[in-house]
Amino acid sequence: LGPDGVLTAMAHNCLANRVETDSEDSSGAEPEVIASLRRDQPEVKAVVACLARQFTTGASIDWTPLLGGSDSSAPGVHLDLPTYAFQRQRYWLEAPHHTTNATDLGLETVEHPLLGAAIPLAEGGRVFAGRVSLRTHPWLVDHQVLKTVLVPGTVLVEMVVHAADRVGCGRVDELALEAPLILTEEGGVQLQVVVEEPDESGVRPVAVYSRPEDQEFAR
C-alpha cells in the first residue's frame, strides 16, 4: 500500500530477480506489482486506478460496490468504450477522380500553356479561355514592376497569335495594351481571347479580357 509507491518498486525488483534465479519457475514472466497509494493522487482515485490495472492484467474484479448494480443501492451508469481506430467503419463513397474533357462540354481543346479551351460561337467568332496564376505559372514572378507582378505584353501577343492561327489568320496587324494584367500571390486570373467573325476583307477583330476569379471581366 505504501508509502508513495516506493515499496512497490522495491517489491517488483525483488520478485523479478527471484523469477530469474528460480530454476523451478517455468513461466519466466515478471510479476505485476501495482501501487494502490500515491502521494500526488486522491486515495479513491489511486485505489480505482490500481483495480483498473489489475483488471487489464487479467485479474477478476467485482466492480459492483463501485459502479453499482442490481444488488447495490448506489446507482451506476455504464458507458460503452469507443471503438478502436482499426475497428471503425467508413461510409463515405469513394468517387473516382475524373477530369472533364473539354470536348465533353462542347468545347475545343487548345494546346497552349495559358489557354485551355475554345468555344466556337454560332455567328462565326471564337472565344479562347484559360487561367493564369503565380502558383501554376511561377516563372511570371520574375517580371515585376515596383514589386508588382505583371504578365508581360509579349505573353498577350503570343496568346493572340495562337488564337489567330486557330481561326486561319496569318498575322496580327495591331494590338494595343490598354491596361496591365496584374497577378497577386493569392488566387488566379481568368482569361478570354475573343475573336470576332471576319469582315468582308477577312479581318477579324480580337480582344483579350481578364478578371480575378472573384470579379467581373475587364478588357
Side-chain angles (χ1 to χ4, degrees):
L1 292 179
D4 195 29
V6 176
L7 294 181
T8 303
M10 293 181 178
H12 179 272
N13 292 336
C14 292
L15 294 174
N17 183 65
R18 181 178 178 181
V19 170
E20 294 177 357
T21 58
D22 192 354
S23 58
E24 296 181 358
D25 187 0
S26 59
S27 64
E30 292 187 3
E32 186 73 25
V33 183
I34 305 171
S36 59
L37 181 65
R38 295 289 185 180
R39 178 182 304 176
D40 57 344
Q41 294 182 4
E43 293 183 1
V44 175
K45 181 178 180 180
V47 172
V48 174
C50 173
L51 295 174
R53 285 196 58 184
Q54 292 184 53
F55 181 75
T56 60
T57 62
S60 177
I61 306 295
D62 181 12
W63 296 103
T64 303
L66 177 65
L67 302 179
S70 58
D71 299 331
S72 174
S73 59
V77 179
H78 297 267
L79 301 177
D80 293 332
L81 293 176
T83 58
Y84 294 99
F86 55 83
Q87 292 177 328
R88 67 188 181 93
Q89 295 184 13
R90 191 171 184 272
Y91 296 97
W92 291 103
L93 297 177
E94 295 291 349
H97 179 73
H98 177 68
T99 301
T100 303
N101 193 314
T103 57
D104 296 338
L105 301 177
L107 309 178
E108 295 180 356
T109 302
V110 178
E111 298 295 336
H112 189 273
L114 300 181
L115 303 175
I119 308 172
L121 301 180
E123 297 179 353
R126 194 168 301 184
V127 178
F128 297 84
R131 182 181 182 277
V132 60
S133 70
L134 293 180
R135 187 173 184 178
T136 56
H137 304 82
W139 52 272
L140 291 172
V141 75
D142 295 331
H143 190 261
Q144 297 188 23
V145 177
L146 299 177
K147 298 183 179 181
T148 300
V149 179
L150 304 178
V151 176
T154 53
V155 173
L156 302 178
V157 172
E158 202 282 331
M159 289 194 301
V160 173
V161 170
H162 183 82
D165 292 338
R166 291 294 298 264
V167 298
C169 294
R171 67 178 188 272
V172 177
D173 292 335
E174 181 181 357
L175 182 64
L177 182 61
E178 298 180 356
L181 179 53
I182 300 175
L183 297 181
T184 60
E185 295 182 359
E186 300 294 334
V189 176
Q190 295 181 356
L191 302 173
Q192 285 189 0
V193 180
V194 180
V195 181
E196 299 181 12
E197 58 180 326
D199 58 16
E200 297 179 356
S201 61
V203 176
R204 289 176 176 263
V206 61
V208 179
Y209 297 87
S210 66
R211 71 166 181 181
E213 292 176 323
D214 57 348
Q215 300 180 15
E216 297 294 331
F217 272 105
R219 185 171 182 175

